[in-house]
Amino acid sequence: MKTRLRDIPTRLATGAYILHSGVTKLSAGPEQAAGFHHAATSAFPALGRMSDSGFLRSLAIGEIAVGSLLLMPFVPASIAGAALTAFSSGLVGMYLRTPALRKPGSVWPSPAGTAISKDVWMLGIGLGLLVGAAEDRSS
């Protein structure tokens, strides 16, 4: 299965961003780890069983994996799209489960939620890769 030319810009931009984010998290300090972990456990309480550093390391490894899949042209769009969709679904879920990130009674972001609300774009890109791969299989 070939990489479609139209997928290259979104895979490069999204993959590079996510990969960089993951690599950066590997060198984060205890305060940053605590901040990320607190934000995640507010939306997904089951993550509270992990340590701050363990959570951040797992998140970093996940980001590195997803970013790498997107950047490798020999990885089919269906696999890269599935990974990005799963990853970004978690981020969008966190956004939707955290009332302080949204304007009261609305899905639109509050000033505190603007940075996280943009993850809906990654979800759209992941779904677009999946739909494109399905169209390619059907033709």
Side-chain angles (χ1 to χ4, degrees):
M1 190 177 286
K2 296 188 301 187
T3 297
R4 293 174 298 163
L5 288 177
R6 69 175 177 247
D7 290 341
I8 292 173
T10 53
R11 285 182 71 161
L12 283 174
T14 309
Y17 185 90
I18 295 170
L19 177 63
H20 177 264
S21 179
V23 170
T24 301
K25 282 179 179 72
L26 287 176
S27 61
E31 289 180 13
Q32 288 175 302
F36 278 106
H37 192 221
H38 175 73
T41 56
S42 295
F44 302 106
L47 295 173
R49 290 182 245 137
M50 299 179 77
S51 69
D52 293 347
S53 61
F55 169 77
L56 190 59
R57 181 160 174 75
S58 296
L59 178 59
I61 290 168
E63 287 182 339
I64 291 167
V66 171
S68 296
L69 286 172
L70 287 161
L71 291 171
M72 291 187 266
F74 56 85
V75 172
S78 58
I79 293 172
L84 181 57
T85 299
F87 175 72
S88 59
S89 291
L91 296 171
V92 171
M94 187 175 90
Y95 169 76
L96 293 173
R97 289 174 161 226
T98 308
L101 299 179
R102 292 176 283 108
K103 292 179 182 174
S106 172
V107 71
W108 299 111
S110 65
T114 301
I116 294 174
S117 68
K118 56 93 179 118
D119 294 330
V120 72
W121 298 339
M122 289 193 300
L123 179 58
I125 292 167
L127 291 171
L129 289 169
L130 288 173
V131 168
E135 286 176 344
D136 291 347
R137 279 193 302 273
S138 68
S139 52

